[in-house]
Amino acid sequence: MQLTDGIQYVKGVGPKKKAELNRLGLFTVYDLLTYFPRTYEDQSVLTRISELQAGEKATVAGTIMNVSERQGGRRGMSILMALIGDGTGILQVTWFNQKYLKSKLKVGKKVFVTGKAAYAYGGRGQFAMSQLSSFQILDEEEEPENMTGIMPVYPATEKLNQKFFRKVLGGLLTEELSIRELIPASVAERYHLLSRRKALQDIHFPADFAALKEARNHLAFEELYLIQCGLLLLKRQAREHSKGIRHLLSSELVGRLVKSLPFQLTDDQSRTWQEIQRDMESPLPMRRLVQGDVGSGKTVIAMLALVKTVENGYQGALMAPTEILASQHCEGFVKQLEPLGIRVGFLSGRLTKKKREDMYARIAAQDVDIVIGTHALIQEGVAFAKLGLVVTDEQHRFGIAQRAELEKKGRLMPDVLVMTATPIPRTMTLTVYGDLDVSLIQQLPPGRQPIRTFVRKPDKRDLIYDYVHQQLAAGRQAYVVCPLIEMNEESDLPSAEEVYDELRYGIFRDMPCGLVHGKMKAADKEQVMQDFYDNKIKLLVSTTVIEVGVNVPNASIMVVEHAERFGLAQLHQLRGRIGRGEYKSYCILVSEMKTESARERLKIMAETSDGFKLAEEDLRLRGPGQFFGSMQHGLPDLKVADVLNDMDILLKARQAAQETVASQAERQDVLPILALQYKEQFENITDI
Ligand code: ADP
Ligand code: MG
């Protein structure tokens, strides 16, 4: 049998089961083989009924002695009850609302049940189980011995139960299957890997937990190794196919800029700058990600790199995700760089046609050294005379496609620097940005006022807003963040619009207030942000649109309504809008904290200001799905590997992938496998 064969050829799969399996997205033998267990039940230890302990989980094997059915509860649910005996005692097992079992639960049949034992109600010491974590009714011919051990628990459906999956997969794994190794033999040998067949066998039916762990590690390694190979080969391809720019050692201009800065670089900034210089001085194109928490000082790093490219006779581009961020950067750059004789230009979609075309002409004539702008920078008409470096700020909002668009704007491959404030745990950085080198800025510049964060219930809102009012009266500015934009009948959450009205007609009627949210026209949004920036608005009510925002050092207080609705990483990002100046800053998270998880998350938020720690907590609490989903740009889903807990495996896989990419023979081995396994992502890689 081949892995590509249709699922209907598997023993035990008839037309009905086939349809059901298709519904689960399983079409081939391969799909079935990689339908991995959700968890496992340890049925290797059977407990005698006489030895059950109340409150302890156990697996019991016995014979059905009696079955009864009744209706119960207000909604008349079906309750099936069986008495099961094993010669040492009797166990009462109950199933709620599983009527279909009635025809299967026959007196005399052997069953396995796993669950928590409790004293039966009115049963005089008899034990009962009602919430089974798994059970199995054996057919006449089945030997109970085959059913013990560590049993896989699959994501089952009503029509496809555990027993079905166990039987079909058990059968499949004894077949003559040709299972092709995905990892080149030389790598398997170097890393002492299992065979793929053994790993697949053991992930479904492990002999013990050690074997299970080994199988899982193998499959996670395999998955991460292949993705790393793909990413590294892409990077290699980009480099070999293109001629990069070799910047010279920095000298005069950069030195003058460093001297003119009002501060000294932190150690992390210096190290990052060293790494960037090394990349820029190499003839290979730079592909570097600078990851640094909000306020860690990434802008000055971008500025240094841009000045270096200018000093070498090239032009630089800095692309920001919003108009106002771009213009803010521009202002800062002009102030810092014009004294050094560097010409800074601005380009955005909102310039008049005339101004835009003027700028196009200046860019084409190298009449401007550094251009700062928005998406407009990658528009048709923009042609750089000599593009040496592209910096994108807050890149996850750009996407790889747009970055590539900008890269195409030079004749030689320009260097690329990507800056992000999204704290991504390292495992994820490597999986998501495996094609980029990473520099990390973890420490904040000295003298930063820490932001104090409090969690308060809504009954304290009056007090909170009184306090905010005092702060505004003392000259500061404030943000109020809400989860929704407008009133919504289905939700009793206050919307930004409601809160805005409540505040501006209420306690803040003597203060200029503003509202900004994602549904507003871009121009209106920018106007409000600009007014806040110019201190014409004191209190800004908003949705999360301010997440990637402007630098308003005078804003020192933030109130987040219904804070439990936001992820930790997001709250952290929001909170980064304050504490940017000399003033003591306060973030107040308002929440009912109705659930344990809300309480826990907000507590962490109040206690931690480390973005990386928060991102990891967020991942732990919300699962990687949401987090990863928004980060990855069409990368393959991970079936086995776990972005949080498989760091060791990832590092090993990356090491192995690096070796593979360096070896002609291993590249030849792995390329067809990549094209097969990850067609969509890595099909277009060729060896060169
Ligand atoms: P982000 O990393 O969020 O983009 P910025 O580059 O905007 O951070 O820097 C935040 C603030 O910190 C700016 O006002 C900047 O001038 C200041 N800053 C940056 N580096 C240092 C430093 N080494 N020492 C003191 N202040 C610094
Ligand atoms: Mg920034």
Side-chain angles (χ1 to χ4, degrees):
M1 197 172 244
Q2 300 292 321
L3 294 189
T4 47
D5 287 347
I7 211 163
Q8 66 272 29
Y9 301 114
V10 176
K11 206 155 63 194
V13 178
K16 270 202 192 133
K17 299 283 193 216
K18 170 181 183 267
E20 276 299 309
L21 288 164
N22 288 169
R23 244 173 31 86
L24 290 178
L26 308 179
F27 295 92
T28 62
V29 172
Y30 176 79
D31 293 342
L32 189 59
L33 260 189
T34 53
Y35 194 65
F36 296 130
R38 177 166 58 77
T39 174
Y40 300 82
E41 286 289 350
D42 187 2
Q43 301 184 358
S44 53
V45 186
L46 287 182
T47 305
R48 280 184 247 209
I49 294 175
S50 62
E51 285 164 8
L52 286 173
Q53 300 279 336
E56 304 258 311
K57 201 168 173 184
T59 298
V60 168
T63 308
I64 300 180
M65 304 170 69
N66 175 287
V67 181
S68 59
E69 187 190 11
R70 62 190 169 88
Q71 308 284 311
R74 268 184 299 153
R75 295 196 204 109
M77 69 176 149
S78 128
I79 303 174
L80 279 167
M81 186 164 78
L83 295 180
I84 289 161
D86 70 348
T88 73
I90 291 182
L91 174 69
Q92 176 184 314
V93 181
T94 316
W95 288 268
F96 298 102
N97 273 336
Q98 299 191 48
K99 260 191 145 127
Y100 68 97
L101 282 175
K102 195 178 160 192
S103 60
K104 306 194 170 162
L105 294 167
K106 291 265 163 58
V107 171
K109 283 212 167 185
K110 287 220 168 75
V111 291
F112 278 89
V113 293
T114 305
K116 213 190 247 182
Y119 288 113
Y121 182 69
R124 272 170 278 150
Q126 205 175 61
F127 277 105
M129 282 185 189
S130 56
Q131 275 164 3
L132 298 185
S133 48
S134 86
F135 73 97
Q136 237 179 128
I137 306 162
L138 303 197
D139 292 332
E140 313 296 328
E141 74 275 14
E142 271 174 322
E143 292 298 324
E145 293 78 64
N146 296 344
M147 298 297 153
T148 57
I150 298 170
M151 300 305 283
V153 179
Y154 295 94
T157 65
E158 193 178 303
K159 296 203 175 99
L160 301 171
N161 57 18
Q162 292 307 331
K163 190 165 150 187
F164 167 80
F165 280 112
R166 288 174 187 176
K167 214 166 156 175
V168 165
L169 275 156
L172 190 58
L173 283 161
T174 58
E175 291 260 346
E176 277 295 306
L177 276 178
S178 48
I179 297 178
R180 173 178 183 178
E181 292 297 331
L182 297 184
I183 299 183
S186 45
V187 177
E189 200 172 309
R190 272 204 307 282
Y191 287 85
H192 311 289
L193 302 180
L194 301 176
S195 73
R196 185 151 191 254
R197 176 177 195 97
K198 168 93 171 119
L200 286 171
Q201 169 76 42
D202 284 2
I203 196 140
H204 290 287
F205 302 104
D208 50 42
F209 281 107
L212 171 60
K213 185 163 180 220
E214 207 179 341
R216 209 201 73 84
N217 286 354
H218 175 92
L219 293 170
F221 180 91
E222 186 179 277
E223 185 168 47
L224 293 169
Y225 166 78
L226 289 175
I227 294 175
Q228 287 301 317
C229 279
L231 289 169
L232 291 173
L233 283 166
L234 272 183
K235 177 168 161 184
R236 180 172 178 276
Q237 175 161 293
R239 287 196 167 164
E240 310 262 316
H241 269 306
S242 55
K243 266 211 178 125
I245 294 166
R246 174 173 223 151
H247 290 88
L248 302 177
L249 294 179
S250 299
S251 48
E252 224 251 310
L253 260 187
V254 171
R256 274 169 61 198
L257 170 59
V258 172
K259 274 209 202 88
S260 74
L261 290 175
F263 47 73
Q264 280 210 316
L265 296 185
T266 62
D267 291 348
D268 279 0
Q269 283 172 321
S270 297
R271 190 181 23 75
T272 299
W273 173 227
Q274 295 295 332
E275 288 165 351
I276 291 169
Q277 288 187 90
R278 212 178 47 219
D279 286 356
M280 290 179 77
E281 285 154 18
S282 139
L284 301 175
M286 168 167 77
R287 294 287 173 276
R288 184 168 288 277
L289 174 75
V290 174
Q291 213 185 355
D293 214 342
V294 276
S296 62
K298 296 183 292 296
T299 315
V300 66
I301 298 296
M303 193 183 279
L304 285 164
L306 287 162
V307 168
K308 184 176 174 88
T309 208
V310 172
E311 177 159 52
N312 277 271
Y314 292 93
Q315 292 167 294
L318 170 61
M319 188 153 75
T322 66
E323 175 105 16
I324 185 151
L325 260 185
S327 70
Q328 216 179 57
H329 276 319
C330 190
E331 211 174 289
F333 273 58
V334 166
K335 207 162 86 192
Q336 197 68 242
L337 300 184
E338 296 221 312
L340 303 179
I342 296 174
R343 297 157 300 178
V344 179
F346 181 75
L347 189 63
S348 95
R350 285 189 37 216
L351 294 182
T352 59
K353 187 153 180 273
K354 164 111 191 12
K355 281 199 165 150
R356 213 164 48 223
E357 279 168 0
D358 272 0
M359 189 47 72
Y360 289 168
R362 286 183 61 198
I363 291 172
Q366 204 173 358
D367 202 20
V368 53
D369 300 311
I370 296 176
V371 189
I372 300 177
T374 58
H375 288 83
L377 272 177
I378 54 174
Q379 236 91 90
E380 278 297 312
V382 189
F384 284 86
K386 241 184 134 191
L387 185 59
L389 170 70
V390 175
V391 183
T392 65
D393 195 7
E394 309 293 355
Q395 86 98 36
H396 58 289
R397 272 147 221 271
F398 276 124
I400 277 176
Q402 285 153 322
R403 201 172 80 211
E405 210 39 53
L406 193 47
E407 286 170 18
K408 278 194 286 190
K409 298 228 165 265
R411 247 169 273 132
L412 291 171
M413 204 61 158
D415 283 336
V416 173
L417 193 60
V418 170
M419 302 197 294
T420 177
T422 310
I424 319 164
R426 189 157 135 71
T427 7
M428 207 174 278
T429 315
L430 283 181
T431 2
V432 178
Y433 295 112
D435 60 334
L436 303 178
D437 300 308
V438 180
S439 297
L440 215 61
I441 308 184
Q442 261 175 319
Q443 69 195 155
L444 295 181
R448 214 36 83 71
Q449 290 280 353
I451 302 168
R452 299 188 58 190
T453 302
F454 304 92
V455 186
R456 293 288 181 266
K457 295 215 165 146
D459 59 5
K460 295 283 186 312
R461 279 180 88 231
D462 286 350
L463 281 174
I464 295 168
Y465 284 115
D466 269 342
Y467 184 70
V468 174
H469 193 273
Q470 278 173 35
Q471 291 288 308
L472 299 196
R476 304 286 79 72
Q477 287 165 278
Y479 295 97
V480 177
V481 184
C482 305
L484 292 180
I485 297 174
E486 26 184 45
M487 280 244 282
N488 177 345
E489 289 188 0
E490 274 139 53
S491 159
D492 53 3
L493 295 178
S495 65
E497 286 179 347
E498 279 171 282
V499 170
Y500 174 56
D501 283 340
E502 173 201 334
L503 296 177
R504 72 173 161 150
Y505 295 127
I507 171 168
F508 295 98
R509 60 188 174 274
D510 57 340
M511 296 278 176
C513 301
L515 171 69
V516 64
H517 59 68
K519 280 199 189 155
M520 284 163 62
K521 279 205 218 106
D524 297 341
K525 220 158 45 187
E526 300 279 354
Q527 188 58 53
V528 176
M529 294 306 290
Q530 191 66 49
D531 287 348
F532 188 65
Y533 181 59
D534 296 338
N535 202 357
K536 289 187 204 145
I537 290 176
K538 298 277 187 195
L539 181 90
L540 182 63
V541 180
S542 78
T543 55
T544 54
V545 292
I546 57 157
E547 203 181 331
V548 173
V550 286
N551 195 17
V552 183
N554 189 43
S556 67
I557 189 158
M558 172 177 285
V559 180
V560 183
E561 295 275 0
H562 278 269
E564 77 284 349
R565 303 278 296 200
F566 301 93
L568 287 181
Q570 195 174 27
L571 282 175
H572 181 65
Q573 209 69 20
L574 287 167
R575 182 169 63 180
R577 294 299 109 218
I578 55 171
R580 302 176 82 89
E582 65 204 272
Y583 308 104
K584 271 215 172 73
S585 293
Y586 304 92
C587 175
I588 302 157
L589 307 172
V590 183
S591 172
E592 297 270 13
M593 291 180 286
K594 281 195 185 134
T595 65
E596 188 51 43
S597 101
R599 220 187 331 270
E600 191 189 343
R601 287 193 303 133
L602 296 179
K603 185 163 165 263
I604 296 170
M605 201 56 216
E607 285 167 357
T608 319
S609 57
D610 178 337
F612 285 84
K613 219 190 253 165
L614 286 169
E616 290 196 353
E617 280 302 330
D618 213 16
L619 264 164
R620 227 181 291 285
L621 294 167
R622 296 198 304 167
Q626 283 186 42
F627 200 102
F628 203 46
S630 67
M631 291 304 312
Q632 64 178 358
H633 309 277
L635 276 180
D637 283 336
L638 297 176
K639 276 191 139 178
V640 184
D642 167 344
V643 284
L644 260 191
N645 298 316
D646 287 334
M647 192 65 201
D648 293 353
I649 301 178
L650 176 65
L651 290 178
K652 211 163 71 170
R654 186 165 169 90
Q655 163 87 30
Q658 274 160 346
E659 291 156 9
T660 294
V661 170
S663 143
Q664 159 93 30
E666 284 183 15
R667 282 202 306 272
Q668 298 305 345
D669 281 345
V670 91
L671 276 168
I673 295 188
L674 278 180
L676 184 77
Q677 288 293 109
Y678 297 110
K679 192 164 172 5
E680 207 178 308
Q681 291 84 14
F682 301 132
E683 187 181 36
N684 295 324
I685 302 176
T686 47
D687 196 35
I688 26 152

